[in-house]
Amino acid sequence: MTPEDHLLLIEEAVTAALTTTADEKWQSLMCQISVLYEDLLSRGLADKIDNGCLNGFQVIGMRDFVVLTAQHNRVVTWS
């Protein structure tokens, strides 16, 4: 990954932001890391958001998610 890349934690992956901070293990990825608000909300975790962040991870909404997919010509997902 490069600094221009963006990693978005969605679905069950949002819980990873609860157990660590953006400054810990994630720093080695050298990219922007965000958490999807709607997935936090659906898991009852929206109350953990503080000033637009969850443990240092930026929280973004569906509109920003769509913008990200339009900006990046390559979207990688795995299951």
Side-chain angles (χ1 to χ4, degrees):
M1 293 192 137
T2 68
E4 295 82 30
D5 291 330
H6 196 116
L7 177 64
L8 177 61
L9 302 177
I10 62 170
E11 298 174 353
E12 286 298 320
V14 300
T15 60
L18 293 173
T19 60
T20 186
T21 65
D23 293 335
E24 292 176 4
K25 303 171 189 172
W26 301 91
Q27 255 185 344
S28 65
L29 294 177
M30 294 176 23
C31 68
Q32 172 75 32
I33 304 170
S34 299
V35 181
L36 188 61
Y37 172 75
E38 285 77 4
D39 286 326
L40 290 172
L41 183 63
S42 69
R43 286 162 179 77
L45 303 172
D47 64 328
K48 308 282 188 211
I49 299 170
D50 182 29
N51 200 23
C53 293
L54 176 65
N55 287 344
F57 296 95
Q58 178 186 12
V59 177
I60 66 169
M62 195 57 71
R63 180 180 297 231
D64 290 326
F65 172 68
V66 172
V67 169
L68 278 174
T69 59
Q71 287 176 343
H72 295 275
N73 60 359
R74 185 177 69 118
V75 176
V76 178
T77 186
W78 57 91
S79 50

